[in-house]
Amino acid sequence: TQQSMAPPRGRLLAAALCLLFLAAADAGTVGVNWGRVANDLPSPAAVVQLLKQHGIAQVKLYDTEPAVLRALAGSGIKVVVALPNEQLAAAARRPSYALAWVRRNVAAYYPATQIQGIAVGNEVFATAANVTAQLVPAMTNVHAALARLNMDKAVKVSSPVALSALANSYPPSAGVFREELAQSVMKPMLDFLARTGSDLMVNCYPFFAYADNAGVISLDYALFRPNAGELDSGSGLKYYSLLDAQLDAVFAAVGKLGSYNGVHVVVSETGWPSKGDAKEVGAGAANAAAYNGNLVRRVLSRNAGTPRRPDADVDVYLFALFNENQKPGPTSERNYGVFYPNQQKVYDVEFVLGGGSVGGKGNGGLGWQDNGGGSAVPAGGGGVVRAAATPGEAWCVANAMAGEARLHAALDYACGPGGADCKGIQPGAACFEPNTMVAHASYAFNDYYQRKGRSIGTCDFAGAAYVVNQAPKISNAEKGLSSV
């Protein structure tokens, strides 16, 4: 039972200090993949202005297009460039080729263009398997070229890995790399990343897993919305998001190759399509808004750790900046963009915490927290996707993914110094049942939020809470959750 509704002064002080400590932790960062497989995109200069307008401070490219790199010069935006798969073999065979490539495509623009990383190849095992054996040698030669130019401390080298590199990903604790990749490629790559202080880049798409298994995977589980969670019987850990499960499968696979806890993980691609073919279950603007919006909110709220690595700060690059009309494949492939080529938003998602776009109209930091309740997209595109709810209705609920310790500290604060009325969740009171941390915290957080006039920042609690626009379902406790 939770006996924390009226804690003594010492515990209140400890809870307040805990919240301050959590708020001071490093947050992850959110960037975006700037793909250009289209014939209707804005000029690079216009794109850079769009990035700055919306507070997007990091981009990942798929090449080293000079016009793009020149446009990014002086912008303050950090950049990851790419050595394409088709040049990988040459870079692996000839150190001189790698040196010339780095001189021409990185050193020529740095530091005016803040290049911070080089992605050597992209999903090589999945899309260019014939050069798999050359991947780590190419990475090694590119790094040696950077070292020769005294750039290796500022510019790191990695290679995005697709989840298909795993032979098994469910349950997460059973994650393991494919036998033909584990010792021959992944272990040498991890050794290289650990030695050079570089990140492991992983491309994760919960959409694909959901679309293929919609009958057994909850949509809420895929979209970071409140859900019952999934227990990993192998580890005893409980998961409330599909992305967490995918990342922990990677962490488990890495752990089976050695101790690489010091290697930081970057989600180099993730996203959700706003449109798809009939068989692409779940594709749609409302779901894309919910997935990307809730993910951004979570990362920037310092709450991106996974059950296996709860203290990890995970950096994320959304896919993608624009809808790209020349990409082959199903309809979804051309509809991952956050923006249309006319620079209007496909749906409402913000890239900064606690307010709207830099220099633009904000949404108070709330419009992106649970955008999946319905859709309202004006004709002609652009426009907003928001929850279908009575105007003005909003509730503050506990984020189960924050974990018991963080919820407990936030609950103590809300019921103590925060001034929330927590009598309703005392033992024997009307809303004591269900007697769970999530239910009690939701009651307390919402009371605090409503008392504070639902003002910006009053439903956060260091990432332990978020706003929803549809009445939450928390059994008896929902009777105590009022939106007015």
Side-chain angles (χ1 to χ4, degrees), residues 270-272 287-297 318 338 347 349:
T270 193
W272 197 283
N287 290 342
Y291 179 82
N292 284 333
N294 288 332
L295 174 58
V296 170
R297 165 80 175 137
L318 298 183
V338 175
Y347 45 82
V349 60

Side-chain angles (χ1 to χ4, degrees), residues 242-255:
L242 184 51
L243 180 64
D244 276 356
Q246 291 180 338
L247 285 173
D248 272 1
V250 174
F251 290 142
V254 168

Side-chain angles (χ1 to χ4, degrees), residues 297 352-356 363-365 368 456:
R297 165 80 175 137
V352 291
L353 190 61
N363 63 0
W368 58 352
I456 294 172

Side-chain angles (χ1 to χ4, degrees), residues 165-217:
L166 298 178
N168 190 37
S169 62
Y170 181 85
S173 59
V176 63
F177 289 111
R178 284 161 32 199
E179 186 176 356
E180 72 274 19
L181 298 175
Q183 294 296 328
S184 62
V185 186
M186 286 310 305
K187 185 170 177 55
M189 180 191 291
L190 288 164
D191 288 338
F192 169 86
L193 298 176
R195 184 174 69 253
T196 61
S198 301
D199 302 327
L200 174 62
M201 289 183 164
V202 183
N203 293 351
C204 296
Y205 285 92
F207 168 72
F208 294 136
Y210 174 76
D212 291 341
N213 302 277
V216 295
I217 294 178

Side-chain angles (χ1 to χ4, degrees), residues 79 161 344 439 475:
V79 184
V161 176
Q344 297 299 306
S475 190

Side-chain angles (χ1 to χ4, degrees), residues 13-331:
L13 179 59
L17 290 174
C18 180
L19 284 175
L20 288 172
F21 173 77
L22 289 171
D26 289 338
T29 60
V30 177
V32 66
N33 285 275
W34 179 358
R36 302 185 346 272
V37 187
N39 60 9
D40 57 355
L41 298 182
S43 70
V47 174
V48 170
Q49 289 306 308
L50 180 71
L51 295 171
K52 293 170 70 174
Q53 176 189 348
H54 291 277
I56 301 172
Q58 298 195 145
V59 295
K60 179 171 156 286
L61 309 176
Y62 292 92
D63 54 22
T64 53
E65 170 59 41
V68 171
L69 294 177
R70 284 195 296 268
L72 286 162
S75 67
I77 296 170
K78 295 181 179 179
V79 184
V80 174
V81 298
L83 186 150
N85 289 345
E86 54 268 24
Q87 297 183 46
L88 195 150
R93 284 195 308 266
R94 294 158 43 206
S96 60
Y97 183 96
L99 178 60
W101 187 91
V102 170
R103 284 188 191 277
R104 182 173 62 253
N105 296 290
V106 180
Y109 302 97
Y110 184 87
T113 300
Q114 293 187 22
I115 299 172
Q116 65 174 348
I118 300 172
V120 176
N122 184 56
E123 297 189 341
V124 170
F125 314 145
T127 61
N130 60 310
V131 293
T132 291
Q134 282 76 53
L135 177 57
V136 176
M139 294 169 68
T140 301
N141 284 346
V142 169
H143 178 264
L146 290 167
R148 181 167 172 178
L149 299 172
N150 295 315
M151 298 177 66
D152 55 310
K153 297 295 189 292
V155 183
K156 299 301 181 178
V157 177
S158 188
S159 181
V161 176
L163 276 187
S164 58
L166 298 178
N168 190 37
S169 62
Y170 181 85
S173 59
V176 63
F177 289 111
R178 284 161 32 199
E179 186 176 356
E180 72 274 19
L181 298 175
Q183 294 296 328
S184 62
V185 186
M186 286 310 305
K187 185 170 177 55
M189 180 191 291
L190 288 164
D191 288 338
F192 169 86
L193 298 176
R195 184 174 69 253
T196 61
S198 301
D199 302 327
L200 174 62
M201 289 183 164
V202 183
N203 293 351
C204 296
Y205 285 92
F207 168 72
F208 294 136
Y210 174 76
D212 291 341
N213 302 277
V216 295
I217 294 178
S218 158
L219 182 59
D220 288 337
Y221 182 65
L223 298 179
F224 305 100
R225 297 197 298 218
N227 63 88
E230 296 286 339
L231 182 66
D232 182 337
S233 58
S235 65
L237 297 173
K238 195 163 190 179
Y239 289 82
Y240 295 93
S241 89
L242 184 51
L243 180 64
D244 276 356
Q246 291 180 338
L247 285 173
D248 272 1
V250 174
F251 290 142
V254 168
K256 287 164 187 169
L257 295 179
S259 179
Y260 296 103
N261 289 339
V263 175
H264 182 248
V265 171
V266 169
V267 179
S268 40
E269 284 186 21
T270 193
W272 197 283
S274 61
K275 189 183 297 184
D277 296 327
K279 64 180 181 180
E280 295 184 288
V281 181
N287 290 342
Y291 179 82
N292 284 333
N294 288 332
L295 174 58
V296 170
R297 165 80 175 137
R298 183 180 165 195
V299 170
L300 297 184
S301 295
R302 307 173 179 89
N303 191 32
T306 67
R308 190 180 184 97
R309 291 193 181 179
D311 297 325
D313 56 315
V314 178
D315 298 330
V316 170
Y317 287 87
L318 298 183
F319 186 86
L321 185 57
F322 294 109
N323 284 344
E324 299 173 66
N325 66 359
Q326 292 185 320
K327 293 200 70 175
T331 297

Side-chain angles (χ1 to χ4, degrees), residues 353-441:
L353 190 61
S357 306
V358 176
K361 287 183 68 176
N363 63 0
L366 304 180
W368 58 352
Q369 294 178 41
D370 186 3
N371 294 309
S375 63
V377 182
V384 175
V385 177
R386 294 189 186 277
T390 303
E393 288 191 337
W395 294 261
C396 183
V397 298
N399 178 6
M401 291 182 286
E404 291 261 329
R406 186 173 292 191
L407 288 176
H408 195 289
L411 175 60
D412 280 355
Y413 177 81
C415 293
D421 182 356
C422 297
K423 293 191 295 291
I425 48 177
Q426 297 284 0
C431 294
F432 180 71
E433 296 294 340
N435 181 21
T436 68
M437 181 65 75
V438 171
H440 287 186

